[in-house]
Amino acid sequence: MTDREVFLNTLAEKARRPRHQLQNHPLVPVNNLPETTLSGKTQDELLEIARRSSEAVNATFQTTTKAQLPAVLDAFVKEKITDNTDDPYQANDHNHLLLPTSDLYADFGLESWRDGLSNPTPTFWKPGVGRQANIDTAEHAGAAIAFADFLLAESGTITVQTTPGQGRAFHFLPVHYLGIVRKSRILPRSRQAMDYYDAALKSGELKTSNINFITGPSNTGDIEMVLVVGVHGPLDMTYLVVEDM
Amino acid sequence: MKTGMKTATMIRNSDHDFLTRVKESEADTFAQKAVAKAQDAQWVKREGAREELGNWEEWRNLGEQIRQHSVRYLPDYLEEFSDNVEKNGGHVFFAQTDVEARDFIVNLAKEKQVKNVVKSKSMVTSEIGIDKALLKIPGMNLLETDLAEFILQQDDWDEPTHLVFPALHKNRDQVREVFMKKLGYEGDNDPQHLARFARKVMRERFLKNEMSITGCNFAVADNGMINLDTNEGNADLCMAIPKIQVVCMGMERIVPGLKEAETMDNMLARSAVGQKITTYCTFTSKQVDGESDGPEEFYVVIIDNGRSNALGTDFEPILQCIRCASCLNVCPIYRHIGGHGYGSIYPGPVGSVLSPVLQGNYDDFADLPYACSLCAACTATCPVKIPLHKLLIKHREIEMDDLHQSKLIDDVVMRVVGLGTGHSSLFRTALGMDHAMLAPLTKNQPETAENLYSNDKHLEWMPFVFGGWTKVRDLPDPPAHSKNFRSWFHTHEPVAADPKVAQHTAQREKEIKAEGKA
């Protein structure tokens, strides 16, 4: 391999520009379009934009209240997890409900709902049990319910940061997927979410190796450009917005 | 570009010469129709997405600025990025050439006793030929996980035809046949059934592999994260499940911070496939304490491989490229000859500019700068404002003026044309004779939208070097001297303006003068 200094000096020589000039020439953007596009909307307006954008990316968009949240989640689980042995995605023990390990259950008033689940009994992404155990659990999940950080109105995107209780594969291996997000966390577009993550990472408030922006279910147009949903990740995606939070 | 510096060695993907490749492409009518369909569909999606965003030209200015700035301070940003990757517990390796990059990854796989590798789609890994190098390790299993690349791998490593839709040239029956032959598929040719079958095959492989290789859409200098955009999520599975991740990164794929990455992701998705953002857009690095999955070992290989040939030259703007392929999707030449016609893993206008730069000479790609109608649609659509058609002209200038690659006969012809067009008497004489001299070669043809202004006659064949034109298109029959525009203009007196119009014009002039005085 080429030594780093040799590599970088070669570039500077070829470009005929000395190194270490950046401090005096920081990037000053020519405009502020990333910040100002779609800015100034109310949360109600953003909710409606998010609804339209989410439906356009084949995500199911639902709203509920904190009081109704357990019932809506029960309905989701009942619809998505079956014992139907004809279903190739849920036969062979691929029929668990995967949940994160998180303090957010209390915020959403879901502690008793979580503790009372029995059909199916939930499995959890657990800190400390190791890579293989968590990946196996996620792989056998018929559905996962995640806590999302933000919902981006413009694109119909949920964002999630990797935590010890909600790992990377949590969002990719289960067959069906639902992300819960509070209405107050609907942002105009990806710039506002990025502003948050950038500041939180730089301040040390956020310690994560991975941030996912997920916009609808996995899809491909690789065979004759025909849109096929669910080639790798979950086959479908539901965004559940809690309106009074 | 300083010629003669041979660097990239693996980007040529055909042994045939340019004209043979063009003939082969023209014979593949399915691929031609598929490319046309893709271009038309992407036109609607791309332009719609840009219009919906609004202020597209201003966004382009921002995109150009971010990329120009990143390239201008490339050594500084690479230094910052590599420091931050190491601060995060990862490792960075600098590879001047494809050989260095390949050797590093192969040796790493051997050292770690890796037998199962999954890959996500990446142009730079194709550029360094890592697949075939890894497969030389005894017992090695390697799997491309992007559906299109998976199809091409199963089809004995067929060559890709597009940067974004690599298997565009294959129809569903061909895919079905490959899956039946190689993987025991027994279903029909429905793309959904084929894709679901591939999902099952690949999912099993994902769960038992030790190392992944991904590309890198953007590398974030100020925090050492890499940014990947996909619609399938295969790259995310590559970054979640294996313990070892190797990131291959063309050295120019750097941006200052997360905000600039976010801006470029938005512009990339809109330009590539007409989406506001790709289905999965991920910012990632080595696993941190407490996390269960993600790579425990994280390596970034920063690859030059001829890119530095562009630095400090007229070709430097090509390093701004974000591989959105929108230039392919508007190119009339690409529409006709498809990806395979270019003979490089980088097809289309970007490939015609980039391939000779990466290779450092014109040995394999001398024809590509001429595979261009200079319509400039590529330049107009480029989200980061690379002057692609001007760079193609620059390649031609170097080939002709500096390298003298023109054939003797071309020189003679161009000297004669130069003489004829440089003297008015000779030029008028030539105009007077062209119709009569070409008359024996003309054929009658009713005028249609395709041959508008052909005077009902056209030439399908011309002798000598002029045949280069008629090999690929018909030539309208030039009008007789008495009917051409110059003759017509001389025989017509200027028409006097309508008195009412003249009166109105005079009145308006008076008003404008009065307004000016006021």
Side-chain angles (χ1 to χ4, degrees):
Chain A
M1 302 302 289
T2 303
D3 175 76
R4 181 174 98 165
E5 287 304 298
V6 172
F7 188 98
L8 298 179
N9 285 336
T10 303
L11 301 189
E13 283 162 23
K14 284 191 171 183
R16 295 190 291 276
R17 290 187 290 263
R19 290 175 61 186
H20 303 128
Q21 301 298 305
L22 191 52
Q23 206 168 10
N24 299 323
H25 300 90
L27 178 67
V28 181
V30 289
N31 60 51
N32 60 357
L33 283 169
E35 290 87 1
T36 54
T37 301
L38 271 186
S39 64
K41 306 280 184 196
T42 66
Q43 286 309 108
D44 285 333
E45 288 171 326
L46 291 176
L47 179 77
E48 285 313 306
I49 296 169
R51 184 194 305 277
R52 288 198 300 274
S53 302
S54 302
E55 287 166 0
V57 295
N58 299 308
T60 301
F61 190 91
Q62 287 183 265
T63 55
T64 189
T65 60
K66 196 171 169 182
Q68 290 299 313
L69 184 55
V72 175
L73 293 178
D74 282 339
F76 170 79
V77 173
K78 191 175 177 189
E79 181 193 340
K80 299 297 183 183
I81 298 185
T82 67
D83 289 326
N84 183 357
T85 50
D86 293 335
D87 181 344
Y89 297 103
Q90 304 220 347
N92 304 319
D93 221 16
H94 284 63
N95 55 2
H96 299 162
L97 170 65
L98 177 65
L99 295 174
T101 300
S102 172
D103 295 334
L104 291 171
Y105 290 101
D107 290 5
F108 285 91
L110 286 173
E111 284 172 310
S112 55
W113 171 81
R114 175 196 62 195
D115 297 340
L117 283 168
S118 60
N119 184 26
T121 304
T123 55
F124 289 87
W125 188 281
K126 291 179 183 168
V129 301
R131 168 187 297 273
Q132 201 57 49
N134 276 321
I135 289 174
D136 281 349
T137 303
E139 164 59 8
H140 287 92
I145 294 174
F147 292 114
D149 299 332
F150 298 107
L151 171 62
L152 312 181
E154 181 192 43
S155 51
T157 303
I158 57 166
T159 75
V160 287
Q161 54 182 285
T162 294
T163 66
Q166 189 171 277
R168 301 185 188 204
F170 185 101
H171 311 287
F172 293 90
L173 293 179
V175 184
H176 306 284
Y177 183 96
L178 181 145
I180 303 172
V181 65
R182 48 190 101 189
K183 182 179 167 186
S184 58
R185 292 288 189 95
I186 303 178
L187 300 176
R189 43 195 316 280
S190 47
R191 169 49 60 98
Q192 286 79 15
M194 196 51 82
D195 282 342
Y196 164 79
Y197 288 120
D198 190 37
L201 284 166
K202 281 176 177 159
S203 70
E205 177 196 336
L206 174 60
K207 292 189 190 311
T208 184
S209 69
N210 191 68
I211 301 163
N212 294 112
F213 285 45
I214 304 173
T215 308
S218 163
N219 63 82
T220 180
D222 278 337
I223 301 175
E224 293 192 11
M225 292 187 69
V226 175
L227 182 71
V228 175
V229 173
V231 70
H232 280 293
L235 301 183
D236 56 62
M237 174 83 53
T238 300
Y239 303 156
L240 182 54
V241 179
V242 185
E243 289 200 271
D244 53 351
M245 289 185 74
Chain B
M1 186 173 73
K2 297 179 185 73
T3 54
M5 297 167 54
K6 188 156 185 162
T7 36
T9 56
M10 307 288 289
I11 56 174
R12 180 173 174 157
N13 63 9
S14 170
D15 293 331
H16 295 157
D17 65 29
F18 180 66
L19 290 178
T20 306
R21 296 197 304 265
V22 169
K23 275 184 188 165
E24 288 168 351
S25 296
E26 285 176 340
D28 190 346
T29 52
F30 172 81
Q32 279 194 332
K33 283 178 189 167
V35 168
K37 184 180 164 190
Q39 283 193 329
D40 294 343
Q42 291 310 316
W43 182 283
V44 174
K45 289 182 182 175
R46 183 186 60 249
E47 301 307 315
R50 289 172 172 180
E51 195 177 329
E52 190 177 3
L53 178 66
N55 303 305
W56 179 244
E57 287 307 312
E58 292 301 312
W59 280 97
R60 288 181 84 209
N61 290 337
L62 181 61
E64 179 191 36
Q65 185 202 16
I66 291 171
R67 295 299 300 135
Q68 271 184 354
H69 174 87
S70 305
V71 170
R72 182 162 189 83
Y73 299 100
L74 190 56
D76 293 359
Y77 279 126
L78 289 176
E79 185 176 358
E80 186 184 2
F81 172 70
S82 64
D83 281 345
N84 282 319
V85 171
E86 288 178 4
K87 203 185 287 178
N88 296 339
H91 307 281
V92 180
F93 296 87
F94 288 85
Q96 199 84 62
T97 64
D98 51 6
V99 177
E100 285 187 356
R102 221 162 38 235
D103 286 353
F104 169 75
I105 299 168
V106 168
N107 289 337
L108 180 70
K110 285 178 180 170
E111 183 195 323
K112 302 289 176 184
Q113 298 184 317
V114 167
K115 291 297 172 200
N116 295 288
V117 172
V118 280
K119 273 192 70 227
S120 67
K121 180 182 175 306
S122 148
M123 291 307 298
V124 75
T125 57
S126 301
E127 190 185 308
I128 64 172
I130 193 60
D131 287 351
K132 287 169 188 170
L134 280 170
L135 285 168
K136 284 180 185 164
I137 299 174
M140 172 62 76
N141 296 300
L142 180 141
L143 189 76
E144 289 283 353
T145 59
D146 171 81
L147 180 61
E149 297 282 356
F150 174 76
I151 291 166
L152 297 178
Q153 178 185 3
Q154 302 309 318
D155 196 13
D156 301 325
W157 300 97
D158 186 17
E159 293 294 343
T161 195
H162 192 282
L163 297 182
V164 177
F165 305 105
L168 184 63
H169 57 294
K170 290 201 179 303
N171 64 33
R172 61 185 76 194
D173 292 322
Q174 290 168 316
V175 175
R176 176 175 179 253
E177 196 178 319
V178 169
F179 282 8
M180 289 174 84
K181 192 171 151 192
K182 294 293 178 67
L183 302 167
Y185 177 70
E186 293 176 342
D188 61 18
N189 66 358
D190 184 323
Q192 170 132 334
H193 298 155
L194 292 163
R196 289 286 163 83
F197 173 75
R199 172 192 170 105
K200 183 171 177 293
V201 172
M202 287 195 268
R203 177 63 67 92
E204 286 167 5
R205 278 296 313 279
F206 266 120
L207 294 169
K208 66 168 191 181
N209 83 89
E210 304 108 28
M211 182 166 117
S212 70
I213 299 175
T214 71
C216 169
N217 285 99
F218 300 105
V220 182
D222 73 1
N223 71 9
M225 285 180 141
I226 67 146
N227 173 204
L228 270 173
D229 298 308
T230 73
N231 280 323
E232 295 180 13
N234 57 315
D236 290 278
L237 283 168
C238 285
M239 295 188 289
I241 298 176
K243 287 183 179 177
I244 304 169
Q245 182 185 350
V246 179
V247 179
C248 291
M249 164 189 159
M251 68 176 190
E252 79 285 10
R253 307 309 290 267
I254 196 99
V255 287
L258 280 172
K259 293 177 188 182
E260 288 76 27
E262 179 267 336
T263 297
M264 299 318 305
D265 286 331
N266 274 262
M267 299 186 72
L268 172 66
R270 281 182 167 83
S271 300
V273 280
Q275 291 171 292
K276 292 167 184 166
I277 193 167
T278 52
T279 303
Y280 296 100
C281 172
T282 302
F283 304 86
T284 194
S285 59
K286 178 185 173 292
Q287 180 193 90
V288 301
D289 287 347
E291 293 175 353
S292 302
D293 60 351
E296 293 165 18
E297 295 181 42
F298 184 77
Y299 302 89
V300 182
V301 186
I302 298 177
I303 298 165
D304 180 338
N305 201 32
R307 285 162 175 74
S308 58
N309 292 338
L311 286 173
T313 75
D314 292 319
F315 297 103
E316 193 167 290
I318 197 62
L319 300 181
Q320 294 164 215
C321 178
I322 58 173
R323 307 289 190 265
C324 70
S326 63
C327 60
L328 275 67
N329 290 337
V330 297
C331 177
I333 308 301
Y334 180 81
R335 191 179 184 96
H336 283 282
I337 68 175
H340 290 172
Y342 290 84
S344 166
I345 64 164
Y346 292 106
V350 59
S352 296
V353 175
L354 186 63
S355 302
V357 170
L358 291 181
Q359 197 175 44
N361 58 47
Y362 295 90
D363 287 356
D364 292 333
F365 304 114
D367 294 300
L368 295 191
Y370 295 90
C372 172
S373 64
L374 298 182
C375 69
C378 50
T379 300
T381 199
C382 178
V384 292
K385 298 181 78 169
I386 301 170
L388 287 157
H389 75 289
K390 290 182 182 170
L391 298 184
L392 289 170
I393 293 171
K394 189 66 198 170
H395 271 314
R396 296 182 188 188
E397 284 175 10
I398 292 173
E399 287 190 70
M400 289 298 128
D401 298 346
D402 299 351
L403 303 177
H404 306 294
Q405 288 191 341
S406 63
K407 296 182 179 68
L408 179 63
I409 198 70
D410 290 340
D411 274 346
V412 172
V413 169
M414 293 317 287
R415 280 173 199 276
V416 170
V417 170
L419 188 69
T421 54
H423 294 79
S424 58
S425 55
L426 287 175
F427 185 62
R428 277 199 301 274
T429 307
L431 285 182
M433 293 170 63
D434 61 350
H435 177 76
M437 290 183 71
L438 292 172
L441 302 175
T442 57
K443 290 189 173 181
N444 287 325
Q445 184 188 49
E447 196 166 270
T448 68
E450 279 186 4
N451 62 10
L452 205 58
Y453 312 121
S454 69
N455 304 315
D456 294 341
K457 290 179 180 175
H458 71 284
L459 291 88
E460 287 179 359
W461 176 83
M462 284 176 65
F464 208 37
V465 293
F466 306 109
W469 178 281
T470 50
K471 261 183 196 170
V472 290
R473 53 175 76 85
D474 294 342
L475 182 72
D477 181 33
H481 184 52
S482 58
K483 292 181 183 174
N484 73 24
F485 176 73
R486 285 166 181 269
S487 304
W488 177 91
F489 188 79
H490 283 303
T491 57
H492 286 71
E493 293 296 323
V495 178
D498 185 305
K500 283 182 186 170
V501 173
Q503 189 182 354
H504 175 78
T505 305
Q507 177 62 29
R508 185 61 192 140
E509 281 173 356
K510 273 185 192 172
E511 288 169 7
I512 290 170
K513 272 185 189 171
E515 284 165 8
K517 281 176 186 168

